[in-house]
Amino acid sequence: MISLGIETSCDETSVSLVKDHYKVLVNEVVSSIDFHCKYGGVIPEIASRIHLETINEVTRSVFKKTALSLNDVSLITVTESPGLLGSLLVGLSFAKGLALSSEKPLIGVNHVNAHLYPVFFQKAKPRFPFIGLVISGGHTSLFLVKDFHNFKLVGRTRDDACGEAFDKVAKLLGLKYPGGPEIERLAKTGNADKIKFSFPGLKDSFDFSFSGIKTAVYYLVKNKKISVKNKKDICASFQKAVTSILIDKSIAALDKYKVRNFVIGGGVSFNNYIRDTFRSSFKNNKVKLFISEKKYCLDNAAMIAGLGSQLYRSRKKRSRFLIN
Ligand code: KG4
Ligand code: ZN
């Protein structure tokens, strides 16, 4: 069974073909980031126009690369939310057009939930129930996942999303957008113990808060000329503080729900320091840790095609099917 995935929620136009839920045949991602860089963030109108110009080409290319055609596809899947409205609309309209003309079923997929799916492309797969942490540009969410239909939100950010905090701190330091990779690059040669950021514990809750650290960086750099060495230390200390919040909350949620499988996904999980620190923190723990492969951390359609095919396979009466 081959499912076609379409993802256009932000600045990546992505199309993928996934076979039998777990095998990615092809995953094409075309980013419009270069058009947004100079504005310091994604401009929704530009993003949706570029999706419109790109989506046909990317879809053609995916079929060409695999020597498959729409006839070989059993299911069309598309990101339905959350995301930039105009961008989502391009993907949804395109997917609906394909589904109507080919009389194939179409299913809408939640983008945030889908960020936890790429670990299922790996040989060793997590078992339900698991705790899933999505760290992306728009979300920082902890889920208790009981099955592919059942994502219970148990913790979320109360202010900035994790990736958003990276992007904003990078901006304060005069680094380019997106800030995550820039901070990771500078942090490599910085002293992570130079600055001790304090952050609210938000006791008895699995919620996160990153805006305090961001504000602390603001006051560190305000009206000052910051040397490259200082910048590196700020990046390393900031990255360390964020990682420690993520790990503390994750462990607390695993303890509370007595769950032994833990999954991480989303753009920020591309960060090697975060990947390595999670790995070493969970080394002697009884919990099994699953981290998305780097090529599936950022926005991609393979995760949509994969989760969509699972939702379709185990569909319940009240599943949210769009058409056919
Ligand atoms: O999941 P994603 O591609 O898009 C959303 O769904 O939001 O995540 C994008 C976010 C951006 O905020 C970006 O700065 C962050 O992921 N990011 C990183 C790294 N690479 C991307 N954050 C930290 N370290 C990185 N290496
Ligand atoms: Zn995303």
Side-chain angles (χ1 to χ4, degrees):
M1 181 235 192
I2 293 177
S3 64
L4 171 72
I6 295 167
E7 152 66 38
T8 62
S9 66
C10 192
D11 56 330
E12 279 99 1
T13 314
S14 180
V15 181
S16 173
L17 291 169
V18 169
K19 189 174 177 201
D20 298 335
H21 319 291
Y22 303 121
K23 187 168 172 34
V24 182
L25 300 178
V26 61
N27 179 47
E28 287 239 335
V29 184
V30 176
S31 170
S32 62
I33 198 82
D34 291 346
F35 295 91
H36 307 285
C37 266
K38 61 179 168 197
Y39 303 105
V42 175
I43 306 295
E45 182 63 19
I46 296 179
S48 48
R49 278 169 195 260
I50 294 176
H51 285 309
L52 208 51
E53 287 167 12
T54 320
I55 195 149
N56 254 326
E57 256 337 282
V58 182
T59 309
R60 271 188 217 287
S61 156
V62 154
F63 283 121
K64 203 167 163 198
K65 278 194 177 152
T66 50
L68 294 169
S69 75
L70 192 54
N71 289 335
D72 301 304
V73 168
S74 311
L75 170 71
I76 296 167
T77 68
V78 62
T79 305
E80 65 169 341
S81 67
L84 304 172
L85 281 186
S87 294
L88 287 169
L89 200 57
V90 175
L92 273 161
S93 310
F94 185 75
K96 275 191 178 182
L98 281 183
L100 281 171
S101 60
S102 62
E103 297 188 347
K104 312 261 182 200
L106 170 76
I107 188 164
V109 178
N110 179 287
H111 177 93
V112 182
N113 296 356
H115 266 305
L116 293 175
Y117 193 80
V119 292
F120 288 92
F121 298 139
Q122 298 169 17
K123 205 164 170 215
K125 302 182 193 340
R127 289 189 172 191
F128 294 114
F130 61 78
I131 294 288
L133 172 67
V134 179
I135 37 179
S136 71
H139 292 82
T140 306
S141 311
L142 260 180
F143 293 101
L144 173 63
V145 186
K146 292 193 177 152
D147 61 51
F148 290 119
H149 290 269
N150 198 333
F151 286 66
K152 183 178 177 211
L153 187 67
V154 296
R156 62 181 171 82
T157 181
R158 295 208 183 159
D159 37 60
D160 293 335
C162 188
E164 187 182 357
F166 271 88
D167 295 336
K168 287 179 174 171
V169 164
K171 198 169 186 176
L172 289 171
L173 295 173
L175 305 172
K176 72 170 199 241
Y177 179 85
E182 291 295 294
I183 290 191
E184 181 177 10
R185 185 174 59 80
L186 289 190
K188 274 185 197 143
T189 46
N191 176 0
D193 297 316
K194 185 79 187 182
I195 303 148
K196 295 264 176 277
F197 289 109
S198 58
F199 37 84
L202 301 177
K203 260 189 170 263
D204 303 323
S205 153
F206 303 119
D207 285 353
F208 305 88
S209 170
F210 300 107
S211 70
I213 310 182
K214 178 196 64 187
T215 308
V217 173
Y218 170 77
Y219 284 111
L220 277 174
V221 303
K222 193 181 167 208
N223 304 328
K224 276 186 223 140
K225 222 170 173 273
I226 299 288
S227 71
V228 175
K229 171 80 186 83
N230 282 343
K231 270 192 198 178
K232 288 179 175 175
D233 292 344
I234 292 174
C235 288
S237 305
F238 165 78
Q239 191 174 254
K240 184 177 177 181
V242 168
T243 309
S244 128
I245 299 175
L246 295 172
I247 291 177
D248 287 355
K249 292 289 174 179
S250 303
I251 290 177
L254 284 157
D255 284 349
K256 156 99 194 269
Y257 293 99
K258 300 189 176 24
V259 168
R260 293 283 173 86
N261 281 231
F262 180 58
V263 176
I264 313 179
V268 182
S269 63
F270 193 89
N271 182 297
N272 282 319
Y273 174 84
I274 294 179
R275 298 171 79 85
D276 293 346
T277 314
F278 262 97
R279 281 198 192 104
S280 53
S281 303
F282 281 77
K283 214 162 150 191
N284 301 319
N285 202 305
K286 285 189 182 123
V287 172
K288 274 195 170 169
L289 171 67
F290 300 84
I291 310 182
S292 300
E293 267 184 276
K294 286 181 91 173
K295 61 181 167 187
Y296 302 122
C297 286
L298 294 156
D299 290 349
N300 67 86
M303 66 185 194
I304 304 299
L307 180 56
S309 73
Q310 296 285 4
L311 295 173
Y312 186 69
R313 162 156 84 163
S314 57
R315 59 190 177 275
K316 295 177 180 166
K317 261 193 185 147
R318 287 173 54 226
S319 274
R320 190 165 168 197
F321 281 85
L322 297 176
I323 49 175
N324 294 334

PDB file of all heavy atoms in Angstrom, residues 9 111 115 136 267 297-299 303, ligand 2:
ATOM      1  N   SER A   9       2.792  23.201   5.526  1.00  0.00           N
ATOM      2  CA  SER A   9       2.265  24.017   6.628  1.00  0.00           C
ATOM      3  C   SER A   9       3.057  25.294   6.891  1.00  0.00           C
ATOM      4  O   SER A   9       2.544  26.246   7.461  1.00  0.00           O
ATOM      5  CB  SER A   9       2.201  23.190   7.906  1.00  0.00           C
ATOM      6  OG  SER A   9       3.503  22.869   8.309  1.00  0.00           O
ATOM      7  N   HIS A 111      -0.094  18.067  11.939  1.00  0.00           N
ATOM      8  CA  HIS A 111       1.348  18.238  11.722  1.00  0.00           C
ATOM      9  C   HIS A 111       2.175  17.959  12.993  1.00  0.00           C
ATOM     10  O   HIS A 111       3.242  17.335  12.927  1.00  0.00           O
ATOM     11  CB  HIS A 111       1.574  19.679  11.244  1.00  0.00           C
ATOM     12  CG  HIS A 111       3.002  20.042  11.051  1.00  0.00           C
ATOM     13  ND1 HIS A 111       3.632  19.923   9.840  1.00  0.00           N
ATOM     14  CD2 HIS A 111       3.935  20.531  11.904  1.00  0.00           C
ATOM     15  CE1 HIS A 111       4.889  20.317   9.966  1.00  0.00           C
ATOM     16  NE2 HIS A 111       5.090  20.695  11.204  1.00  0.00           N
ATOM     17  N   HIS A 115       5.092  14.825  13.753  1.00  0.00           N
ATOM     18  CA  HIS A 115       6.517  14.964  14.074  1.00  0.00           C
ATOM     19  C   HIS A 115       7.028  13.792  14.923  1.00  0.00           C
ATOM     20  O   HIS A 115       8.233  13.587  15.051  1.00  0.00           O
ATOM     21  CB  HIS A 115       6.782  16.282  14.809  1.00  0.00           C
ATOM     22  CG  HIS A 115       7.198  17.401  13.881  1.00  0.00           C
ATOM     23  ND1 HIS A 115       8.261  17.292  13.016  1.00  0.00           N
ATOM     24  CD2 HIS A 115       6.697  18.657  13.714  1.00  0.00           C
ATOM     25  CE1 HIS A 115       8.399  18.428  12.340  1.00  0.00           C
ATOM     26  NE2 HIS A 115       7.451  19.273  12.731  1.00  0.00           N
ATOM     27  N   SER A 136       9.588  22.081  18.134  1.00  0.00           N
ATOM     28  CA  SER A 136       9.666  22.649  16.786  1.00  0.00           C
ATOM     29  C   SER A 136       9.616  24.172  16.874  1.00  0.00           C
ATOM     30  O   SER A 136       9.664  24.753  17.967  1.00  0.00           O
ATOM     31  CB  SER A 136       8.518  22.114  15.934  1.00  0.00           C
ATOM     32  OG  SER A 136       7.303  22.675  16.358  1.00  0.00           O
ATOM     33  N   GLY A 267      11.818  20.001  14.532  1.00  0.00           N
ATOM     34  CA  GLY A 267      13.012  20.655  14.004  1.00  0.00           C
ATOM     35  C   GLY A 267      14.148  20.829  14.995  1.00  0.00           C
ATOM     36  O   GLY A 267      15.321  20.680  14.639  1.00  0.00           O
ATOM     37  N   CYS A 297      13.708  15.260  10.952  1.00  0.00           N
ATOM     38  CA  CYS A 297      13.396  16.142  12.091  1.00  0.00           C
ATOM     39  C   CYS A 297      12.639  17.382  11.623  1.00  0.00           C
ATOM     40  O   CYS A 297      11.645  17.792  12.220  1.00  0.00           O
ATOM     41  CB  CYS A 297      14.671  16.590  12.793  1.00  0.00           C
ATOM     42  SG  CYS A 297      15.430  15.294  13.764  1.00  0.00           S
ATOM     43  N   LEU A 298      13.153  17.995  10.565  1.00  0.00           N
ATOM     44  CA  LEU A 298      12.507  19.220  10.073  1.00  0.00           C
ATOM     45  C   LEU A 298      11.256  18.827   9.284  1.00  0.00           C
ATOM     46  O   LEU A 298      11.025  17.645   9.010  1.00  0.00           O
ATOM     47  CB  LEU A 298      13.498  19.997   9.204  1.00  0.00           C
ATOM     48  CG  LEU A 298      14.699  20.523  10.018  1.00  0.00           C
ATOM     49  CD1 LEU A 298      15.904  20.742   9.145  1.00  0.00           C
ATOM     50  CD2 LEU A 298      14.336  21.812  10.735  1.00  0.00           C
ATOM     51  N   ASP A 299      10.473  19.822   8.890  1.00  0.00           N
ATOM     52  CA  ASP A 299       9.202  19.524   8.232  1.00  0.00           C
ATOM     53  C   ASP A 299       9.395  18.673   6.976  1.00  0.00           C
ATOM     54  O   ASP A 299      10.264  18.971   6.147  1.00  0.00           O
ATOM     55  CB  ASP A 299       8.492  20.834   7.868  1.00  0.00           C
ATOM     56  CG  ASP A 299       7.989  21.542   9.117  1.00  0.00           C
ATOM     57  OD1 ASP A 299       8.014  20.915  10.199  1.00  0.00           O
ATOM     58  OD2 ASP A 299       7.569  22.700   9.010  1.00  0.00           O
ATOM     59  N   MET A 303       6.554  12.017   7.137  1.00  0.00           N
ATOM     60  CA  MET A 303       5.871  11.832   8.431  1.00  0.00           C
ATOM     61  C   MET A 303       4.352  11.940   8.264  1.00  0.00           C
ATOM     62  O   MET A 303       3.591  11.285   8.983  1.00  0.00           O
ATOM     63  CB  MET A 303       6.403  12.839   9.468  1.00  0.00           C
ATOM     64  CG  MET A 303       6.090  14.295   9.168  1.00  0.00           C
ATOM     65  SD  MET A 303       6.894  15.396  10.360  1.00  0.00           S
ATOM     66  CE  MET A 303       6.024  16.937  10.048  1.00  0.00           C
TER      67      MET A 303
HETATM   68 ZN    ZN B   2       7.030  21.119  11.948  1.00  0.00          ZN
END
